[in-house]
Coordinates of all heavy atoms in Angstrom, one line a residue:
S1 N 0.8 -1.2 0.0 CA 0.0 0.0 0.0 C 0.9 1.2 0.0 O 1.8 1.4 0.8 CB -0.9 0.0 1.2 OG -1.6 1.2 1.4
L2 N 0.6 2.1 -1.0 CA 1.4 3.4 -1.1 C 0.6 4.5 -0.5 O -0.6 4.7 -0.9 CB 1.7 3.7 -2.5 CG 2.6 2.6 -3.2 CD1 2.7 2.9 -4.7 CD2 4.0 2.5 -2.5
E3 N 1.2 5.2 0.5 CA 0.4 6.3 1.1 C 1.2 7.5 1.1 O 2.4 7.5 0.9 CB 0.1 5.8 2.5 CG -0.8 4.6 2.6 CD -1.1 4.2 4.0 OE1 -0.9 5.0 4.9 OE2 -1.6 3.0 4.2
G4 N 0.6 8.6 1.5 CA 1.2 9.9 1.6 C 1.8 10.4 0.3 O 1.3 10.2 -0.7
P5 N 3.0 11.1 0.4 CA 3.6 11.7 -0.8 C 4.4 10.7 -1.6 O 4.9 11.1 -2.7 CB 4.5 12.7 -0.1 CG 4.9 12.1 1.2 CD 3.7 11.4 1.7
L6 N 4.4 9.4 -1.3 CA 5.2 8.5 -2.0 C 4.8 8.3 -3.5 O 5.6 8.3 -4.4 CB 5.3 7.2 -1.3 CG 6.3 6.1 -1.9 CD1 7.7 6.7 -1.9 CD2 6.3 4.9 -1.0
L7 N 3.5 8.1 -3.7 CA 3.0 7.8 -5.0 C 3.3 8.9 -6.0 O 3.8 8.7 -7.1 CB 1.5 7.4 -5.0 CG 1.0 6.9 -6.4 CD1 1.8 5.7 -6.9 CD2 -0.5 6.5 -6.2
P8 N 3.0 10.2 -5.7 CA 3.3 11.2 -6.6 C 4.8 11.3 -6.9 O 5.2 11.6 -8.0 CB 2.8 12.5 -5.9 CG 1.8 12.0 -5.0 CD 2.2 10.7 -4.5
R9 N 5.6 11.0 -5.9 CA 7.1 11.0 -6.1 C 7.5 9.9 -7.0 O 8.4 10.1 -7.9 CB 7.8 11.0 -4.8 CG 7.7 12.2 -4.0 CD 8.4 12.2 -2.7 NE 9.9 12.1 -2.9 CZ 10.7 11.8 -2.0 NH1 10.4 11.5 -0.8 NH2 12.0 11.7 -2.3
L10 N 6.9 8.8 -6.9 CA 7.2 7.6 -7.8 C 6.8 8.0 -9.3 O 7.5 7.7 -10.2 CB 6.5 6.4 -7.4 CG 7.1 5.8 -6.1 CD1 6.1 4.7 -5.5 CD2 8.5 5.2 -6.3
A11 N 5.7 8.6 -9.4 CA 5.2 9.0 -10.8 C 6.2 10.0 -11.4 O 6.6 10.0 -12.5 CB 3.8 9.6 -10.7
Q12 N 6.6 11.0 -10.5 CA 7.6 12.0 -11.0 C 8.9 11.3 -11.4 O 9.5 11.7 -12.4 CB 7.8 13.0 -9.9 CG 8.6 14.2 -10.2 CD 8.6 15.2 -9.1 OE1 8.8 14.8 -7.9 NE2 8.4 16.5 -9.4
T13 N 9.3 10.3 -10.6 CA 10.6 9.6 -10.9 C 10.4 8.9 -12.2 O 11.3 8.9 -13.1 CB 11.0 8.7 -9.8 OG1 11.1 9.4 -8.6 CG2 12.2 7.9 -10.1
G14 N 9.3 8.2 -12.5 CA 9.0 7.6 -13.7 C 9.1 8.5 -14.9 O 9.7 8.2 -16.0
K15 N 8.6 9.7 -14.8 CA 8.7 10.7 -15.8 C 10.1 11.1 -16.1 O 10.5 11.3 -17.2 CB 7.8 11.9 -15.4 CG 7.8 13.0 -16.5 CD 6.9 14.2 -16.0 CE 7.0 15.3 -17.1 NZ 6.2 16.5 -16.7
I16 N 10.9 11.3 -15.0 CA 12.3 11.7 -15.2 C 13.1 10.6 -15.9 O 13.8 10.9 -16.8 CB 12.9 12.0 -13.8 CG1 12.3 13.3 -13.2 CG2 14.4 12.1 -13.9 CD1 12.6 13.5 -11.7
V17 N 12.8 9.3 -15.5 CA 13.5 8.2 -16.1 C 13.1 8.1 -17.6 O 14.0 7.9 -18.5 CB 13.3 6.9 -15.4 CG1 13.9 5.7 -16.2 CG2 13.9 7.0 -14.0
A18 N 11.8 8.3 -17.9 CA 11.3 8.3 -19.3 C 12.0 9.3 -20.1 O 12.5 9.1 -21.3 CB 9.8 8.4 -19.3
S19 N 12.1 10.5 -19.6 CA 12.8 11.6 -20.3 C 14.3 11.3 -20.6 O 14.8 11.6 -21.6 CB 12.7 12.9 -19.5 OG 11.3 13.3 -19.5
M20 N 14.9 10.7 -19.6 CA 16.3 10.3 -19.7 C 16.5 9.3 -20.8 O 17.4 9.3 -21.6 CB 16.9 9.8 -18.4 CG 17.1 10.8 -17.4 SD 17.6 10.2 -15.8 CE 19.2 9.6 -16.1
L21 N 15.6 8.3 -20.9 CA 15.6 7.2 -21.9 C 15.5 7.9 -23.3 O 16.2 7.5 -24.2 CB 14.6 6.2 -21.7 CG 14.7 5.3 -20.4 CD1 13.6 4.3 -20.4 CD2 16.0 4.6 -20.4
K22 N 14.5 8.8 -23.4 CA 14.3 9.4 -24.7 C 15.6 10.2 -25.1 O 16.0 10.2 -26.3 CB 13.1 10.3 -24.7 CG 11.8 9.5 -24.6 CD 10.6 10.3 -24.6 CE 10.2 10.7 -26.0 NZ 8.9 11.4 -26.0
A23 N 16.2 10.9 -24.2 CA 17.3 11.8 -24.5 C 18.6 10.9 -24.8 O 19.3 11.2 -25.7 CB 17.6 12.7 -23.3
K24 N 18.8 9.9 -24.0 CA 20.1 9.2 -24.1 C 20.0 8.0 -25.0 O 21.0 7.7 -25.7 CB 20.4 8.6 -22.7 CG 20.7 9.7 -21.6 CD 21.9 10.5 -22.0 CE 22.1 11.5 -20.8 NZ 23.4 12.3 -21.0
L25 N 18.8 7.4 -25.2 CA 18.7 6.2 -26.1 C 18.1 6.6 -27.4 O 18.1 5.8 -28.4 CB 17.9 5.1 -25.4 CG 18.4 4.5 -24.1 CD1 17.4 3.5 -23.6 CD2 19.8 4.0 -24.3
G26 N 17.5 7.8 -27.5 CA 16.8 8.2 -28.7 C 15.6 7.4 -29.1 O 15.2 7.3 -30.2
C27 N 14.9 6.8 -28.1 CA 13.7 6.1 -28.3 C 12.6 7.0 -28.8 O 12.6 8.2 -28.5 CB 13.3 5.2 -27.1 SG 13.1 6.1 -25.6
D28 N 11.6 6.4 -29.5 CA 10.5 7.2 -30.0 C 9.4 7.4 -29.0 O 8.6 8.3 -29.2 CB 9.9 6.5 -31.3 CG 11.0 6.3 -32.3 OD1 11.6 7.3 -32.7 OD2 11.2 5.2 -32.8
G29 N 9.4 6.6 -28.0 CA 8.4 6.7 -27.0 C 8.8 5.9 -25.8 O 9.8 5.2 -25.8
V30 N 7.9 5.9 -24.7 CA 8.2 5.2 -23.5 C 6.9 4.7 -23.0 O 5.9 5.4 -22.9 CB 8.9 6.1 -22.5 CG1 9.1 5.3 -21.2 CG2 10.2 6.6 -23.0
N31 N 6.8 3.4 -22.6 CA 5.7 2.9 -21.8 C 6.0 2.9 -20.3 O 7.1 2.5 -19.9 CB 5.3 1.4 -22.2 CG 4.7 1.3 -23.6 OD1 5.2 0.8 -24.5 ND2 3.5 1.9 -23.7
L32 N 5.1 3.4 -19.5 CA 5.2 3.3 -18.1 C 4.1 2.3 -17.7 O 3.0 2.6 -17.9 CB 5.0 4.7 -17.4 CG 5.9 5.8 -17.8 CD1 5.5 7.1 -17.1 CD2 7.3 5.5 -17.4
V33 N 4.5 1.2 -17.1 CA 3.6 0.1 -16.8 C 3.7 -0.3 -15.4 O 4.8 -0.6 -14.9 CB 3.9 -1.1 -17.7 CG1 2.9 -2.3 -17.4 CG2 3.8 -0.8 -19.2
Q34 N 2.5 -0.3 -14.7 CA 2.5 -0.8 -13.3 C 1.4 -1.8 -13.2 O 0.2 -1.5 -13.4 CB 2.2 0.4 -12.3 CG 2.5 0.0 -10.9 CD 1.4 -0.7 -10.2 OE1 0.2 -0.4 -10.3 NE2 1.7 -1.7 -9.4
N35 N 1.7 -3.1 -13.1 CA 0.7 -4.1 -12.9 C 0.3 -4.3 -11.5 O 1.2 -4.4 -10.6 CB 1.2 -5.5 -13.5 CG 1.6 -5.4 -14.9 OD1 1.0 -4.7 -15.7 ND2 2.7 -6.0 -15.3
N36 N -1.0 -4.4 -11.2 CA -1.4 -4.4 -9.8 C -2.3 -5.7 -9.6 O -3.4 -5.7 -10.0 CB -2.2 -3.2 -9.4 CG -2.3 -3.0 -7.9 OD1 -2.5 -3.9 -7.2 ND2 -2.2 -1.8 -7.5
G37 N -1.7 -6.7 -9.0 CA -2.5 -8.0 -8.8 C -2.1 -9.0 -9.8 O -1.8 -8.7 -11.0
A38 N -2.2 -10.3 -9.4 CA -1.8 -11.4 -10.3 C -2.7 -11.4 -11.6 O -2.2 -11.6 -12.7 CB -2.0 -12.7 -9.6
A39 N -3.9 -11.0 -11.5 CA -4.8 -11.0 -12.7 C -4.4 -10.0 -13.7 O -4.7 -10.1 -14.9 CB -6.3 -10.8 -12.3
A40 N -3.6 -9.0 -13.2 CA -3.1 -7.9 -14.1 C -1.7 -8.2 -14.6 O -1.1 -7.4 -15.3 CB -3.1 -6.6 -13.4
G41 N -1.2 -9.4 -14.2 CA 0.2 -9.7 -14.7 C 1.3 -9.4 -13.7 O 2.5 -9.6 -14.1
Q42 N 0.9 -9.0 -12.5 CA 2.0 -8.8 -11.5 C 2.6 -10.1 -11.0 O 1.8 -11.0 -10.6 CB 1.4 -8.0 -10.3 CG 2.4 -7.6 -9.3 CD 1.8 -6.8 -8.1 OE1 0.6 -6.7 -8.0 NE2 2.7 -6.2 -7.3
T43 N 3.9 -10.2 -11.1 CA 4.6 -11.4 -10.7 C 5.4 -11.2 -9.5 O 5.8 -12.2 -8.8 CB 5.4 -12.1 -11.8 OG1 6.3 -11.1 -12.2 CG2 4.5 -12.5 -13.0
V44 N 5.8 -10.0 -9.2 CA 6.6 -9.6 -8.0 C 5.7 -8.7 -7.2 O 5.2 -7.7 -7.6 CB 7.9 -8.8 -8.4 CG1 8.6 -8.4 -7.2 CG2 8.7 -9.6 -9.4
M45 N 5.3 -9.2 -6.0 CA 4.2 -8.6 -5.2 C 4.6 -7.5 -4.4 O 4.5 -7.5 -3.1 CB 3.5 -9.7 -4.4 CG 2.8 -10.8 -5.3 SD 1.7 -10.0 -6.5 CE 1.4 -11.4 -7.6
H46 N 5.2 -6.5 -5.0 CA 5.5 -5.2 -4.4 C 5.4 -4.2 -5.5 O 5.4 -4.5 -6.7 CB 6.8 -5.1 -3.7 CG 8.0 -5.3 -4.6 ND1 8.7 -6.4 -4.7 CD2 8.5 -4.5 -5.5 CE1 9.7 -6.3 -5.6 NE2 9.6 -5.1 -6.1
Y47 N 5.2 -2.9 -5.2 CA 5.1 -1.9 -6.2 C 6.4 -1.7 -6.9 O 7.5 -1.6 -6.4 CB 4.7 -0.5 -5.6 CG 4.6 0.6 -6.6 CD1 3.4 0.8 -7.3 CD2 5.7 1.3 -7.0 CE1 3.3 1.8 -8.3 CE2 5.6 2.3 -8.0 CZ 4.4 2.5 -8.6 OH 4.3 3.4 -9.6
H48 N 6.3 -1.7 -8.3 CA 7.4 -1.4 -9.1 C 6.8 -0.9 -10.4 O 5.7 -1.2 -10.8 CB 8.4 -2.5 -9.3 CG 7.8 -3.7 -9.9 ND1 7.0 -4.6 -9.2 CD2 7.8 -4.2 -11.2 CE1 6.7 -5.6 -10.0 NE2 7.1 -5.4 -11.2
L49 N 7.6 0.0 -11.1 CA 7.1 0.6 -12.3 C 8.1 0.2 -13.4 O 9.3 0.4 -13.3 CB 7.1 2.2 -12.1 CG 6.7 3.0 -13.3 CD1 5.2 2.7 -13.6 CD2 6.9 4.5 -13.1
H50 N 7.5 -0.3 -14.5 CA 8.3 -0.7 -15.6 C 8.4 0.6 -16.5 O 7.4 1.2 -16.8 CB 7.7 -1.8 -16.4 CG 7.5 -3.1 -15.7 ND1 8.5 -4.1 -15.7 CD2 6.5 -3.5 -14.9 CE1 8.0 -5.1 -14.9 NE2 6.9 -4.7 -14.4
V51 N 9.6 1.0 -16.9 CA 9.9 2.1 -17.8 C 10.5 1.5 -19.0 O 11.7 1.1 -19.0 CB 10.7 3.2 -17.1 CG1 10.9 4.4 -18.0 CG2 10.2 3.6 -15.7
I52 N 9.7 1.4 -20.1 CA 10.1 0.6 -21.2 C 10.3 1.5 -22.4 O 9.4 2.2 -22.9 CB 9.0 -0.4 -21.6 CG1 8.7 -1.2 -20.4 CG2 9.4 -1.3 -22.8 CD1 7.4 -2.0 -20.5
P53 N 11.6 1.6 -22.9 CA 11.8 2.4 -24.1 C 11.2 1.8 -25.3 O 11.2 0.5 -25.5 CB 13.4 2.5 -24.2 CG 13.8 1.3 -23.5 CD 12.8 1.0 -22.4
R54 N 10.6 2.6 -26.2 CA 9.9 2.0 -27.4 C 10.4 2.7 -28.6 O 10.8 3.9 -28.6 CB 8.4 2.3 -27.2 CG 7.8 1.6 -26.1 CD 7.9 0.0 -26.2 NE 7.3 -0.5 -27.4 CZ 6.0 -0.8 -27.5 NH1 5.2 -0.7 -26.5 NH2 5.6 -1.2 -28.7
Y55 N 10.5 1.9 -29.7 CA 11.0 2.4 -31.0 C 9.9 2.1 -32.0 O 9.2 1.1 -31.9 CB 12.3 1.7 -31.3 CG 13.4 2.0 -30.3 CD1 13.5 1.2 -29.2 CD2 14.2 3.1 -30.5 CE1 14.5 1.5 -28.3 CE2 15.2 3.4 -29.5 CZ 15.3 2.6 -28.4 OH 16.3 2.8 -27.5
E56 N 9.8 2.9 -33.0 CA 8.8 2.7 -34.1 C 9.1 1.3 -34.7 O 10.2 0.9 -34.9 CB 9.0 3.7 -35.3 CG 8.6 5.1 -34.9 CD 7.1 5.3 -34.7 OE1 6.3 4.5 -35.4 OE2 6.7 6.1 -33.9
N57 N 8.0 0.5 -34.9 CA 8.1 -0.8 -35.4 C 9.0 -1.8 -34.6 O 9.6 -2.6 -35.2 CB 8.5 -0.8 -36.9 CG 7.6 0.1 -37.7 OD1 6.4 0.0 -37.7 ND2 8.2 1.0 -38.5
D58 N 9.0 -1.6 -33.3 CA 9.8 -2.5 -32.5 C 9.2 -3.9 -32.3 O 9.8 -4.8 -31.7 CB 10.2 -1.9 -31.2 CG 9.0 -1.6 -30.2 OD1 7.9 -2.0 -30.5 OD2 9.3 -0.9 -29.2
G59 N 7.9 -4.1 -32.7 CA 7.3 -5.4 -32.6 C 6.8 -5.7 -31.2 O 6.3 -6.8 -31.0
Q60 N 7.0 -4.8 -30.2 CA 6.5 -5.1 -28.9 C 5.1 -4.6 -28.7 O 4.6 -3.7 -29.4 CB 7.4 -4.3 -27.9 CG 8.8 -4.7 -27.9 CD 9.0 -6.2 -27.5 OE1 8.4 -6.6 -26.5 NE2 9.8 -6.9 -28.3
H61 N 4.4 -5.3 -27.8 CA 2.9 -5.0 -27.6 C 2.6 -5.1 -26.1 O 3.1 -6.0 -25.4 CB 2.0 -6.0 -28.3 CG 2.3 -6.0 -29.8 ND1 1.8 -5.1 -30.6 CD2 3.0 -6.9 -30.6 CE1 2.2 -5.4 -31.9 NE2 2.9 -6.5 -31.9
I62 N 1.9 -4.1 -25.6 CA 1.4 -4.2 -24.2 C 0.1 -5.0 -24.3 O -0.7 -4.8 -25.2 CB 1.1 -2.8 -23.7 CG1 2.4 -1.9 -23.7 CG2 0.5 -2.8 -22.3 CD1 3.5 -2.4 -22.9
L63 N 0.0 -6.0 -23.5 CA -1.1 -7.0 -23.6 C -2.4 -6.4 -23.0 O -2.8 -6.8 -22.0 CB -0.7 -8.3 -22.9 CG 0.6 -9.0 -23.4 CD1 0.9 -10.2 -22.5 CD2 0.4 -9.3 -24.8
W64 N -3.0 -5.5 -23.8 CA -4.3 -5.0 -23.5 C -5.0 -4.6 -24.7 O -4.4 -4.0 -25.7 CB -4.1 -3.7 -22.6 CG -5.3 -2.9 -22.3 CD1 -6.3 -3.4 -21.5 CD2 -5.7 -1.7 -22.8 NE1 -7.3 -2.4 -21.5 CE2 -6.9 -1.4 -22.3 CE3 -5.1 -0.8 -23.7 CZ2 -7.6 -0.2 -22.5 CZ3 -5.8 0.4 -23.9 CH2 -7.0 0.7 -23.4
K65 N -6.2 -5.1 -24.9 CA -7.0 -4.8 -26.1 C -8.1 -3.9 -25.7 O -9.1 -4.3 -25.0 CB -7.5 -6.1 -26.6 CG -6.4 -7.1 -27.2 CD -7.0 -8.3 -27.7 CE -5.9 -9.3 -28.2 NZ -6.4 -10.5 -28.7
P66 N -8.1 -2.7 -26.2 CA -9.2 -1.7 -25.9 C -10.5 -2.3 -26.5 O -10.5 -2.9 -27.5 CB -8.8 -0.5 -26.6 CG -7.3 -0.6 -26.9 CD -7.0 -2.1 -27.0
T67 N -11.6 -1.9 -25.8 CA -12.9 -2.3 -26.3 C -13.7 -1.0 -26.6 O -13.2 0.1 -26.4 CB -13.7 -3.1 -25.2 OG1 -13.8 -2.3 -24.1 CG2 -12.9 -4.4 -24.9
S68 N -14.8 -1.2 -27.2 CA -15.7 -0.1 -27.5 C -17.0 -0.2 -26.9 O -18.0 -0.5 -27.5 CB -15.8 0.0 -29.1 OG -14.6 0.2 -29.7
P69 N -17.1 0.1 -25.5 CA -18.4 0.0 -24.9 C -19.3 1.1 -25.4 O -18.9 2.2 -25.8 CB -18.1 0.2 -23.4 CG -16.8 0.9 -23.4 CD -16.0 0.5 -24.6
S70 N -20.6 0.8 -25.3 CA -21.6 1.8 -25.7 C -21.7 2.9 -24.6 O -21.2 2.7 -23.5 CB -23.0 1.2 -25.9 OG -23.4 0.7 -24.6
A71 N -22.3 4.0 -25.0 CA -22.5 5.1 -24.0 C -23.3 4.6 -22.8 O -22.9 4.9 -21.6 CB -23.2 6.3 -24.6
E72 N -24.2 3.7 -23.0 CA -25.0 3.2 -21.9 C -24.2 2.3 -21.0 O -24.3 2.3 -19.8 CB -26.2 2.4 -22.4 CG -27.3 3.2 -23.2 CD -26.9 3.5 -24.6 OE1 -26.0 2.9 -25.2 OE2 -27.5 4.5 -25.2
E73 N -23.3 1.5 -21.6 CA -22.4 0.6 -20.8 C -21.5 1.5 -20.0 O -21.2 1.1 -18.8 CB -21.6 -0.3 -21.7 CG -22.5 -1.4 -22.3 CD -21.7 -2.2 -23.4 OE1 -21.1 -1.6 -24.3 OE2 -21.7 -3.4 -23.3
L74 N -20.9 2.5 -20.5 CA -20.0 3.4 -19.8 C -20.8 4.1 -18.6 O -20.2 4.2 -17.5 CB -19.5 4.5 -20.7 CG -18.5 4.0 -21.8 CD1 -18.1 5.1 -22.7 CD2 -17.2 3.4 -21.1
V75 N -22.0 4.5 -18.8 CA -22.8 5.1 -17.7 C -23.0 4.0 -16.6 O -22.9 4.3 -15.4 CB -24.1 5.6 -18.2 CG1 -25.0 6.0 -17.1 CG2 -23.9 6.9 -19.1
A76 N -23.3 2.8 -17.0 CA -23.5 1.7 -16.0 C -22.3 1.5 -15.2 O -22.3 1.3 -14.0 CB -24.0 0.4 -16.7
I77 N -21.1 1.4 -15.9 CA -19.9 1.2 -15.2 C -19.6 2.4 -14.2 O -19.2 2.2 -13.1 CB -18.7 1.0 -16.2 CG1 -18.9 -0.3 -17.0 CG2 -17.4 1.1 -15.5 CD1 -18.0 -0.4 -18.2
K78 N -19.8 3.6 -14.7 CA -19.6 4.8 -13.9 C -20.5 4.7 -12.6 O -20.0 4.9 -11.5 CB -19.9 6.1 -14.6 CG -19.8 7.3 -13.8 CD -20.4 8.5 -14.4 CE -21.9 8.5 -14.5 NZ -22.6 9.2 -13.5
N79 N -21.7 4.3 -12.8 CA -22.6 4.2 -11.7 C -22.2 3.1 -10.7 O -22.4 3.3 -9.5 CB -24.1 4.0 -12.2 CG -24.6 5.3 -12.9 OD1 -24.1 6.4 -12.7 ND2 -25.6 5.1 -13.7
T80 N -21.7 2.1 -11.2 CA -21.2 1.0 -10.4 C -20.1 1.5 -9.5 O -20.0 1.2 -8.3 CB -20.8 -0.2 -11.2 OG1 -22.0 -0.7 -11.9 CG2 -20.3 -1.3 -10.3
I81 N -19.2 2.2 -10.1 CA -18.0 2.7 -9.4 C -18.3 3.8 -8.5 O -17.8 3.8 -7.3 CB -16.9 3.1 -10.4 CG1 -16.4 1.9 -11.3 CG2 -15.7 3.8 -9.7 CD1 -15.6 2.2 -12.5
I82 N -19.0 4.8 -8.9 CA -19.2 6.0 -8.0 C -20.6 6.2 -7.6 O -20.8 7.2 -6.8 CB -18.6 7.3 -8.7 CG1 -19.4 7.6 -10.0 CG2 -17.2 7.2 -9.0 CD1 -19.1 8.9 -10.6
G83 N -21.5 5.4 -8.0 CA -22.9 5.5 -7.5 C -23.8 6.5 -8.3 O -23.4 7.1 -9.2

């Protein structure tokens, strides 16, 4: 569990590392990935942030397939989460 000022500092550190990778490695982009729970692919059960340099046509894929829920489905999900 991350509490207090730690989480914003970790996000800030991820941004700094991402900028360094782009500047020093010349990558085209960066993925910041944090898996939370085994169902999400977390294999080491503590907080850690993957900072992954990416290059055009590198053949890598983040294992997530976006869906296209209807407006009604989005409202139902919103209502489930926040009431």
Side-chain angles (χ1 to χ4, degrees):
S1 172
L2 299 174
E3 298 179 16
L6 187 56
L7 188 57
R9 290 182 65 196
L10 290 168
Q12 190 175 43
T13 300
K15 181 179 178 183
I16 291 167
V17 172
S19 294
M20 290 174 68
L21 292 180
K22 289 178 84 173
K24 300 293 184 175
L25 300 180
C27 55
D28 300 307
V30 178
N31 286 115
L32 300 175
V33 179
Q34 195 278 318
N35 300 326
N36 197 321
Q42 183 179 12
T43 58
V44 179
M45 297 306 166
H46 62 256
Y47 180 88
H48 58 282
L49 182 66
H50 300 269
V51 185
I52 307 166
R54 297 297 304 272
Y55 300 89
E56 291 292 328
N57 302 311
D58 64 10
Q60 298 298 312
H61 302 282
I62 301 299
L63 301 177
W64 175 68
K65 294 181 184 178
T67 59
S68 299
S70 68
E72 294 81 15
E73 290 171 311
L74 290 174
V75 168
I77 293 166
K78 176 192 72 98
N79 290 338
T80 298
I81 294 169
I82 63 173

